[in-house]
Amino acid sequence: MTQASLHPMLNVAIKAARAAGSIINRASLDLDILKINSKSPNDFVTEVDQAAEQLIIETLLQAYPEHGILAEESGREHGNKNSEFQWIIDPLDGTTNFIHGFPVYAVSIALAHRNVVQQAVVYDPTRNDLFYATKGRGAYLNDRRLRVSRRTRMSDALIGTGFPFRRGDNFKRYLKMFEAVMQECAGLRRPGAAALDLCYVAAGYYDAFFETGLNPWDVAAGSLIIAEAGGLVGNFTGEADFLHQREIVAGNPRIYGQLVQILAPYTRVITQEALDEDASKSAGKASGADASGEVAKKVAAAPAERKRGPVRIKKTDKSSDDAPI
């Protein structure tokens, strides 16, 4: 897709992402003077995150002042909160990598219309790699059309993931998932920037990806890019409600289906039937770990192939719980 043929809204998002990337690249040259604050233990925000986010918001609202904004560092403080159009922004996904000089981080910008993602940009400033997609028009890396991988066996698959990192995260649950997946696949990788991880699925570098606790700004752009590259995105039970449930699986259709079968027992997706049964047993206080075992019995793992639905964004208040960096 040539620059001239890009959707006007996508062009504005690309302009904003590249401008933010310039801020990030300049700051990366002198990390010693960087001001770093902690939002919570192991969860950092820098003045670069904030400056990049402000520049992105100004660029988007200058072009579309009537649109709404959902951004990682400032929530819904900008734009029209009642607009049918909402920009979903992560100005620097991979902040911990950035402050250590580990060159895996990205800018992520998506536009949703009536809660369905229509435009997506993920920009890797260290490599000058631009991943982008418009709904119905395919996904691209720079000028190259993207397609998910064609591998069909888990034993051949390279899988991406993200580790829990905050106090209070369910590390034991994750280690069980890690062990279950690790024994079935060719290898697991954890670079530490979910937006890029999702793009790597779209590009075929990974065959699939899974993580828990991700917020809309981490996955909105990447999920559309995967869908437009022919991949599937869902929660651990194969449903499309991954943003609401704070768990995500993505991959080429064949590996996606197999990975869902492995991860379904670890889901925190609670069906109404399971809630009713657990309430009668424990006065509605079943833990996520206990409930997942009951729910798994009621969940049918996703088939290897299924029809792609629209990537939807549920309006969600900014939350620090389990948010990646």
Side-chain angles (χ1 to χ4, degrees):
M1 194 187 303
T2 65
Q3 193 77 13
S5 67
L6 296 181
H7 191 284
M9 291 182 182
L10 182 61
N11 263 327
V12 172
I14 290 172
K15 176 183 176 183
R18 288 193 181 278
S22 295
I23 290 177
I24 294 166
N25 277 340
R26 285 197 299 271
S28 72
L29 299 176
D30 201 352
L31 293 173
D32 290 341
I33 64 171
L34 195 65
K35 294 180 181 177
I36 303 168
N37 297 311
S38 291
K39 292 188 279 188
S40 62
N42 299 331
D43 189 4
F44 304 104
V45 61
T46 71
E47 56 190 337
V48 177
D49 295 72
Q50 294 162 339
E53 180 171 292
Q54 186 60 37
L55 180 57
I56 292 168
I57 291 170
E58 289 174 359
T59 302
L60 297 177
L61 291 184
Q62 183 178 13
Y64 301 104
E66 74 282 5
H67 286 189
I69 299 286
L70 175 61
E72 179 175 11
E73 306 307 337
S74 58
R76 301 177 189 273
E77 295 174 10
H78 307 274
N80 178 4
K81 296 179 177 62
N82 300 315
S83 175
E84 292 183 347
F85 290 92
Q86 184 180 58
W87 293 95
I88 303 166
I89 302 163
D90 191 340
L92 178 53
D93 183 39
T95 299
T96 298
N97 286 349
F98 172 74
I99 64 180
H100 286 83
F102 184 65
V104 181
Y105 41 82
V107 181
S108 179
I109 303 173
L111 175 65
H113 178 245
R114 295 182 178 178
N115 302 327
V116 178
V117 180
Q118 302 286 341
Q119 311 292 338
V121 175
V122 175
Y123 179 55
D124 177 348
T126 69
R127 295 166 186 78
N128 194 27
D129 276 345
L130 185 75
F131 298 86
Y132 57 95
T134 294
K135 184 173 171 57
R137 299 186 64 182
Y140 293 82
L141 166 55
N142 301 322
D143 294 324
R144 178 171 65 87
R145 180 75 180 262
L146 295 180
R147 297 298 298 177
V148 294
S149 73
R150 295 182 179 181
R151 290 185 183 86
T152 60
R153 298 187 302 180
M154 274 293 292
S155 58
D156 297 330
L158 183 65
I159 310 294
T161 188
F163 300 155
F165 58 89
R166 287 197 184 86
R167 294 174 187 171
D169 285 346
N170 194 331
F171 293 98
K172 290 183 179 179
R173 170 176 170 254
Y174 181 81
L175 288 174
K176 290 178 181 178
M177 287 190 284
F178 187 89
E179 182 179 10
V181 175
M182 183 170 57
Q183 293 183 75
E184 299 294 330
C185 71
L188 276 171
R189 299 291 182 268
R190 197 278 190 185
L196 275 180
D197 285 324
L198 293 169
C199 291
Y200 291 171
V201 173
Y205 306 159
Y206 294 153
D207 302 294
F209 171 80
F210 72 98
E211 190 169 350
T212 60
L214 295 176
N215 283 305
W217 45 81
D218 303 300
V219 298
S223 60
L224 177 63
I225 292 169
I226 288 175
E228 289 298 318
L232 298 175
V233 188
N235 60 34
F236 286 3
T237 63
E239 302 299 321
D241 190 19
F242 61 93
L243 288 165
H244 180 66
Q245 299 288 355
R246 301 178 68 77
E247 60 186 40
I248 186 171
V249 183
N252 78 38
R254 295 294 294 275
I255 301 300
Y256 173 90
Q258 295 169 67
L259 189 55
V260 163
Q261 292 181 39
I262 296 171
L263 294 173
Y266 304 98
T267 187
R268 284 182 170 174
V269 175
I270 307 299
T271 66
Q272 190 58 49
E273 180 186 359
L275 285 174
D276 293 342
E277 287 186 12
D278 291 337
S280 65
K281 293 178 182 178
S282 57
K285 295 182 180 179
S287 69
D290 293 337
S292 66
E294 295 299 318
V295 173
K297 299 174 185 176
K298 303 174 179 62
V299 171
E305 304 268 0
R306 70 182 175 93
K307 185 177 179 181
R308 270 190 291 143
V311 178
R312 293 187 174 273
I313 297 295
K314 291 206 170 193
K315 291 186 178 178
T316 263
D317 288 334
K318 179 178 168 69
S319 169
S320 62
D321 176 49
D322 287 341
I325 49 181

